[in-house]
Amino acid sequence: MDARQRAKTKYEEKVREMQTVERQAIAAQRNGNEEAARLAMSKVIQTEQILPQLEAQVKQAELYVNASKDKLNRERTKLEAYKTDMQNMKDMAEINEALAAIAKVNNDLSIDSARSQFEQAKNAVERHNIEQQSLAELSENPQEKLQAELENMILDDEVNRRLEMLDDPDNKKLSN
């Protein structure tokens, strides 16, 4: 399973986990266990808050994978073209034995050019790897902790609101 699929599976697990905990909150509320209902509803709200971020990361992973595949295909095409060019140059040198000295100079220059182009392709792949590592590091949001503390301050009010909604028999589904 590739990283993109693992990210998608993790997101789907979180959605199912949230739904299970929401059912637990409803059951606890109906059984009169207020503390368990509050705890479960807190977990539902926390999970709801992280789901958009997880979904965005899954989409970003898919973009990275597709971009990486495209770049890899382009690099493969370039390398194959270099191989073909080198083989063609070798064939020309063999046919033109009478011009061996000129062909040797030409062939040496072509090999140097191909080597230079190969080095450029190699450097591009290495730069891409560094960019991907940097993007992965940047995906960690240092403001999440501060945001979480702020959201915890209003969490208790939201838990109370939702628990009151559970007591209302006309309201069959929690609304956001």
Side-chain angles (χ1 to χ4, degrees):
M1 183 184 310
D2 67 3
R4 172 184 50 165
Q5 186 60 39
R6 283 194 306 267
K8 186 175 182 180
T9 300
K10 187 53 135 175
Y11 171 77
E12 291 167 353
E13 286 174 5
K14 273 295 185 194
V15 169
R16 287 191 297 274
E17 176 187 317
M18 183 190 71
Q19 292 167 345
T20 299
V21 174
E22 188 173 32
R23 287 191 297 273
Q24 290 172 353
I26 292 169
Q29 179 73 16
R30 288 182 182 153
N31 291 331
N33 189 342
E34 187 71 23
E35 186 176 332
R38 292 180 63 78
L39 180 61
M41 191 55 68
S42 293
K43 288 180 182 179
V44 168
I45 292 168
Q46 288 172 327
T47 303
E48 279 178 349
Q49 292 169 344
I50 195 73
L51 282 179
Q53 293 170 1
L54 293 176
E55 183 178 18
Q57 288 177 338
V58 167
K59 288 179 182 174
Q60 191 65 38
E62 289 175 354
L63 290 175
Y64 287 157
V65 167
N66 291 336
S68 295
K69 284 180 182 178
D70 290 344
K71 181 149 180 99
L72 180 60
N73 287 335
R74 287 191 306 272
E75 294 301 324
R76 282 184 186 152
T77 301
K78 286 179 186 176
L79 289 175
E80 287 302 317
Y82 299 151
K83 287 180 186 178
T84 301
D85 286 346
M86 288 181 70
Q87 184 61 46
N88 289 339
M89 286 183 265
K90 181 180 175 184
D91 292 343
M92 283 177 52
E94 289 175 7
I95 292 171
N96 295 314
E97 283 185 26
L99 302 174
I102 296 172
K104 184 180 182 319
V105 170
N106 189 21
N107 197 22
D108 287 346
L109 290 176
S110 297
I111 289 171
D112 288 342
S113 175
R115 186 177 300 129
S116 172
Q117 291 172 348
F118 177 78
E119 287 297 322
Q120 289 174 357
K122 177 183 163 194
N123 290 339
V125 170
E126 289 173 351
R127 275 194 312 275
H128 179 68
N129 185 37
I130 291 170
E131 288 171 8
Q132 292 305 313
Q133 289 175 349
S134 297
L135 287 171
E137 291 171 9
L138 289 174
S139 70
E140 297 177 9
N141 187 350
Q143 304 242 345
E144 283 181 12
K145 183 178 178 183
L146 181 60
Q147 182 67 28
E149 291 174 5
L150 179 62
E151 290 170 355
N152 282 337
M153 294 172 65
I154 61 170
L155 178 62
D156 201 46
D157 290 337
E158 182 67 11
V159 168
N160 288 333
R161 184 185 72 79
R162 290 191 183 202
L163 289 175
E164 289 172 8
M165 291 173 69
L166 290 176
D167 288 334
D168 183 5
D170 294 330
N171 190 355
K172 300 289 186 202
K173 187 174 180 182
L174 291 177
S175 62
N176 291 334

